[in-house]
Amino acid sequence: MCGFLPYFPNDKENLTYTYVALRFIAGIGLAGELGAGITLVSEILPKELRALGTSLVAGIGLSGAVVANLTVNRLDPGDWNIAYFIGGGMGIGLLLLRIGVLESGIFNETKKTEVSRGNFLMFFTNWDRFWRYLRCIGIGLPTWFCIGILAMFGNVFGKALGIKGGISPGDAIMWGYIGISVGDIFSGFLSHWLKSRRKSILLMMTFTLISVVWILSGTIHTASMYYLMCCWFGFGTGYWAMFVTIGAEQFGTNIRSTAATTIPNMVRGTVILMTIGFESLIGSGLTVLVSAGIVGFIAFAIGIYSTWSIAETHGRDLDFVEVDSPHDEGLIDQ
């Protein structure tokens, strides 16, 4: 693979840049996995079972992060590349399984019409649609504050909290995803029981906020307690499946998959802004805990407002399309 980048001066740099390039390519391929899967499940299942189906898809899928960390930990440091062969093999197996997956009926019906399909620009051509899109993104911000800041910077928080032996970011992420995998499944049953997407997400978000406040209070001084908090906020942010489901249910069939795939990636992209803000606040002289508290407050405030203000979609009929017309509000039944 090093031969793909011959202009770098030595083999070590070749390997580094090749690794980055391959991770980038893999990221492009994986970016739409969850959104596309949840869109398909949402359109195939009866609306009464939609929450249960999408939560199972996300819960089982996100457990892959846990398996990945356990796999690496069981390998010798020099055999790290074996983990990539294992993951790649599973990806190829999944690709073969998808050959037999059928397209949803309502999408097939949409293909028979002349309505624009998969047009990302449609989110910006109608104010109501654009505002729905922004609020869908806002709902997911707390999830990636927890993983992208509290878990990814676990070593920084471990030092700030005076935890003996420190915190491993890899283990913090693993415990976070253990919680997320269970929380995703739980959130689906909770939404099904409450018959409300919004209520289930607000309850999960509140549960998450308790653990975040606990961490930032500075009262945690052991690694085991920090990992417990990671599992706690992971479980709370397990509304990820419901968040993507809301994104799918808010929009018409012709751009539903586009919404469900781009909204989670927009949220992931905000981690860059959160990280810059977090590091800038530390650089300005604020402590690690105060800096994280400011970023977290903004993320949760936006998340709570977006969830509270967006339309309820539990039980919504998804057989409609989005159109651009000065005489309507942006959507019509098929």
Side-chain angles (χ1 to χ4, degrees), residues 105-151:
I106 59 176
F107 183 76
N108 279 332
E109 290 300 314
T110 302
K111 290 194 292 185
K112 298 176 183 178
T113 69
E114 296 182 358
V115 67
S116 177
R117 300 192 306 273
N119 185 359
F120 178 69
L121 296 179
M122 285 188 71
F123 294 115
F124 309 96
T125 58
N126 176 281
W127 171 250
D128 173 71
R129 188 183 303 134
F130 178 62
W131 186 226
R132 275 183 280 149
Y133 189 69
L134 287 182
R135 283 179 291 175
C136 286
I137 294 170
I139 294 171
L141 294 184
T143 64
W144 275 92
F145 166 75
C146 292
I147 294 298
I149 300 296
L150 298 180

Side-chain angles (χ1 to χ4, degrees), residues 11 28 59 87 107 125 162 195 217 245 247 267 273 281 304 310 318:
D11 287 345
I28 292 175
F107 183 76
T125 58
K195 292 181 170 40
S217 69
T245 302
V267 176
L273 299 177
L281 289 169
I304 291 171
I310 205 165
L318 299 185

Side-chain angles (χ1 to χ4, degrees), residues 164-182:
K164 187 176 180 180
I167 295 295
S168 165
D171 288 341
I173 292 171
M174 181 190 73
W175 283 107
Y177 271 92
I178 288 174
I180 289 173
S181 298
V182 178

Side-chain angles (χ1 to χ4, degrees), residues 71-85:
T71 301
V72 172
N73 287 339
R74 292 184 64 86
L75 295 172
D76 293 328
D79 295 330
W80 61 268
N81 54 331
I82 295 177
Y84 283 84
F85 285 111

Side-chain angles (χ1 to χ4, degrees), residues 197-237:
R197 304 282 187 260
R198 295 166 58 212
K199 289 179 181 178
S200 64
I201 290 178
L202 284 171
L203 286 173
M204 298 286 282
M205 205 177 287
T206 302
F207 184 78
T208 304
L209 189 56
I210 295 172
S211 65
V212 172
V213 171
W214 197 339
I215 290 174
L216 300 182
S217 69
T219 58
I220 294 175
H221 302 297
T222 64
S224 59
M225 193 63 182
Y226 194 89
Y227 293 137
L228 175 62
M229 290 296 104
C230 289
C231 192
W232 181 330
F233 69 58
F235 180 85
T237 57

Side-chain angles (χ1 to χ4, degrees), residues 270-286:
T270 63
V271 177
I272 299 173
L273 299 177
M274 292 185 200
T275 302
I276 292 173
F278 176 57
E279 293 180 339
S280 298
L281 289 169
I282 294 174
S284 68
L286 296 178

